[in-house]
Amino acid sequence: MERLLMLMQASSFSRVRETMAEAFRTASVPSKLTVGLLLTELPGEEELEIMKNTKGLMYLVEPGTVWEKVHRFWQGEAFVLMLSCDAVFTPSWDRELQQMQQKTGDRGILTGILPWPGDPVDAVYSIAGEKLEGRTLHFRQGVPLRYASASHLSAFLNPSFAFGPAPFFLKADPSAGPVFLQAFEDRWVLQTMYAPVLRMKQPTVLEPVVLPEGESMEHFARHFGMDLVSGLLSPEIREGIFTSDLQVKMTVPLAVKLQEGIRQSTIGRNNADPLFVTAYLPKEDSAMPDEQEMAHFRRLAAIERLTLLCFAKPGAIRKILFSHPNTLEFKPKYCLAFRGEGEADDASYDILNHFFLLAAGREKSPDHTHYVWVDFDYMGYPVYEGTALNWESICTDRVCLGRVGGCPDYSMVSVPEHLLDELCREVHAMCEEEMRKTGHLPEPDAVLENMMEKNPAWFELLDLPGRRDLLSLSMTLWGDEWGRRG
């Protein structure tokens, strides 16, 4: 195993002390680990004594970023690890990092967004482009590499987690532009790390980057699928995954397959038999879902123990049928009778209409206990097709939906069959009254609040860490997979 330099930045030594101690404690060969700390506050006498007695520790107290100080810390180590001071380490993390890097080749740089306990999936997430405004690129958490068999190509780099050969870090100059562009110019290959040997205590927030002018940026944009003029981003950039079908190359461990089979056989039975209903209803009848939407839809449709019915407009039905045979042509009679005019009305209609599409689903398949609306592109992360699903958490005698930061998440709504007709009548009546008064549809939140006030026993709102997390409540809990504990 080669020598490794780990660099972290913090306001004070006390802020990073625990992380540093854990890094040494869990390293397979602590003697080959050197830690460099960039601090903004001078350590106190007690802290100086601790630092003095910590073998392999260096520190600087000065302004700037740790990326700018690599030369000041480097003492000939073969590898460099840039890491947040909120990191959590698994045993032998140093050896595992080097082994994963070696699989990527001599010029591979491991990066990605490390998971934290609030994530629905315990896996390293890709770095995705969210939007391009002018020359400013905004990032988001992309696809998690759950059960990934290898690291995956990345266009971007997370400044608070990067690992690779020292020459990359010694040459990188943040003042000269985005480091991911410098990597591209020098033919370093950024890779989303496939196994979470490092995790975070807090979520990672990636700052937007202003893209420079020049031929290198133009070449990068063409290579990865970014239109610098229109601001359009390719599905690959929006997912952070550069595979032909936008899916993670997975190898589900045998232990997990056995676990899910056993779990399914032991799950408590509440006699729930839900039908999931979704729809692809673009404004233009000829429009078809893009590859990102289809990648998400295919993940949902592939889950073996989930029964899914999809409605689609005629222009898209052929494409969707290739991925899911239980797809039917959408008809206007299935919908809420009121539309209104304008973007606000369109947004309200798209949500309020979910209940009526559920009723259409029941008409097509009437023998289910629950009818569950789910957005067409709901499943943003990979799921083992044979995963066990425990419906007790989301299929009860009440309408169940998630709530994030106090706001309802309408991407998935579970409705017991016996309440479906009454819900549709209530929504229809409120829409009719609001249209008569104002000529516009009511806000979905106002409709929900009104129904909850009149019939509080009908509803259950579950607080969740993020949107589109409700289905995860029916799956194996974070960290419970055999062989996947941190």
Side-chain angles (χ1 to χ4, degrees):
M1 202 181 89
E2 302 287 350
R3 291 170 58 208
L4 189 160
L5 171 63
M6 182 174 73
L7 300 175
M8 294 187 290
Q9 187 165 351
S11 57
S12 64
F13 178 67
S14 61
R15 179 73 177 80
V16 74
R17 177 181 172 182
E18 182 182 334
T19 303
M20 180 202 68
E22 186 185 3
F24 278 112
R25 186 171 61 251
T26 54
S28 60
V29 188
S31 61
K32 292 194 174 184
L33 172 63
T34 304
V35 175
L37 304 179
L38 180 62
L39 308 175
T40 54
E41 297 177 11
L42 283 169
E45 291 185 9
E46 183 180 341
E47 292 177 329
L48 282 172
E49 188 64 25
I50 295 171
M51 297 168 79
K52 179 182 175 182
N53 293 324
T54 303
K55 188 178 180 180
L57 174 63
M58 301 177 288
Y59 76 96
L60 291 172
V61 181
E62 57 188 48
T65 69
V66 72
W67 279 86
E68 300 166 340
K69 314 295 181 180
V70 178
H71 285 274
R72 303 278 298 278
F73 289 111
W74 185 66
Q75 297 181 330
E77 293 87 356
F79 292 97
V80 172
L81 170 63
M82 289 286 183
L83 195 61
S84 166
C85 62
D86 284 323
V88 178
F89 302 82
T90 59
S92 298
W93 60 270
D94 51 341
R95 188 182 302 277
E96 298 245 10
L97 280 178
Q98 292 190 32
Q99 289 175 349
M100 282 190 284
Q101 191 279 332
Q102 288 167 5
K103 292 178 182 179
T104 68
D106 293 341
R107 301 189 70 78
I109 303 296
L110 299 179
T111 189
I113 299 176
L114 301 176
W116 73 293
D119 284 326
V121 176
D122 181 30
V124 183
Y125 286 72
S126 66
I127 305 167
E130 182 176 29
K131 59 183 176 180
L132 180 59
E133 296 179 322
R135 302 291 296 193
T136 302
L137 179 62
H138 298 262
F139 300 102
R140 71 172 185 86
Q141 185 171 275
V143 178
L145 268 58
R146 193 183 201 189
Y147 306 132
S149 57
S151 297
H152 282 49
L153 178 66
S154 174
F156 308 114
L157 181 137
N158 175 7
S160 63
F161 167 58
F163 174 80
F168 168 75
F169 297 89
L170 290 167
K171 187 176 180 182
D173 180 7
S175 65
V179 177
F180 64 77
L181 181 58
Q182 296 175 44
F184 179 76
E185 292 173 325
D186 292 339
R187 299 186 182 278
W188 292 97
V189 182
L190 303 181
Q191 298 270 330
T192 304
M193 182 172 69
Y194 70 87
V197 297
L198 302 169
R199 295 177 175 85
M200 296 290 294
K201 297 176 184 176
Q202 304 292 333
T204 299
V205 178
L206 295 179
E207 297 296 325
V209 169
V210 177
L211 303 180
E213 303 283 348
E215 185 177 337
S216 292
M217 189 67 242
E218 298 286 343
H219 187 195
F220 177 95
R222 288 193 299 271
H223 184 80
F224 287 106
M226 183 188 306
D227 191 323
L228 299 174
V229 177
S230 69
L232 293 177
L233 303 177
S234 68
E236 290 82 1
I237 282 188
R238 299 200 309 272
E239 288 286 275
I241 291 290
F242 296 86
T243 57
S244 58
D245 58 357
L246 297 182
Q247 303 292 2
V248 173
K249 299 172 183 176
M250 295 169 60
T251 301
V252 181
L254 177 60
V256 171
K257 293 180 179 180
L258 291 171
Q259 172 197 254
E260 293 300 285
I262 294 170
R263 182 171 178 262
Q264 186 62 40
S265 67
T266 59
I267 282 174
R269 301 190 180 279
N270 65 349
N271 298 316
D273 178 24
L275 174 70
F276 279 67
V277 178
T278 191
Y280 181 72
L281 307 176
K283 299 276 188 297
E284 298 180 7
D285 289 348
S286 59
M288 290 193 293
D290 67 18
E291 290 310 309
Q292 183 183 30
E293 292 171 313
M294 284 303 302
H296 290 197
F297 176 75
R298 282 193 290 265
R299 290 184 192 133
L300 185 71
I303 299 176
E304 294 170 0
R305 296 183 176 94
L306 188 149
T307 305
L308 178 67
L309 170 63
C310 178
F311 292 109
K313 287 192 173 180
I317 197 167
R318 184 182 181 89
K319 181 175 183 178
I320 296 172
L321 273 170
F322 279 120
S323 296
H324 188 56
N326 196 21
T327 300
L328 301 177
E329 182 179 340
F330 163 79
K331 299 184 184 302
K333 67 178 182 179
Y334 300 152
C335 292
L336 174 63
F338 309 101
R339 285 301 301 249
E341 294 182 1
E343 292 184 5
D345 281 331
D346 287 343
S348 294
Y349 176 85
D350 288 343
I351 293 173
L352 297 173
N353 193 40
H354 293 172
F355 298 106
F356 298 88
L357 289 170
L358 290 181
R362 183 182 60 182
E363 180 184 323
K364 300 299 180 183
S365 186
D367 299 324
H368 294 271
T369 61
H370 294 74
Y371 291 84
V372 184
W373 169 264
V374 60
D375 283 355
F376 184 82
D377 59 347
Y378 182 91
M379 190 55 66
Y381 53 86
V383 175
Y384 166 45
E385 294 178 0
T387 188
L389 296 171
N390 184 357
W391 298 126
E392 290 184 355
S393 56
I394 57 177
C395 293
T396 66
D397 60 350
R398 294 191 282 178
V399 178
C400 180
L401 68 159
R403 181 169 51 192
V404 180
C407 299
D409 173 17
Y410 300 103
S411 63
M412 180 174 166
V413 183
S414 175
V415 181
E417 190 278 334
H418 71 272
L419 287 178
L420 187 53
D421 287 337
E422 293 180 88
L423 277 174
C424 289
R425 280 195 293 269
E426 289 281 347
V427 173
H428 186 277
M430 280 184 271
C431 290
E432 184 176 41
E433 182 179 2
E434 190 67 18
M435 286 291 291
R436 180 176 55 80
K437 289 180 179 178
T438 67
H440 295 284
L441 288 172
E443 290 286 338
D445 286 5
V447 173
L448 180 62
E449 289 171 10
N450 186 294
M451 289 194 295
M452 290 179 66
E453 185 176 339
K454 290 171 61 177
N455 304 284
W458 284 7
F459 296 90
E460 180 179 16
L461 270 65
L462 301 176
D463 289 312
L464 300 171
R467 289 191 71 250
R468 300 185 174 182
D469 282 352
L470 186 61
L471 183 59
S472 67
L473 297 183
S474 68
M475 299 180 185
T476 303
L477 297 176
W478 190 96
D480 279 354
E481 296 153 312
W482 290 352
R484 291 268 164 168
R485 295 181 186 273

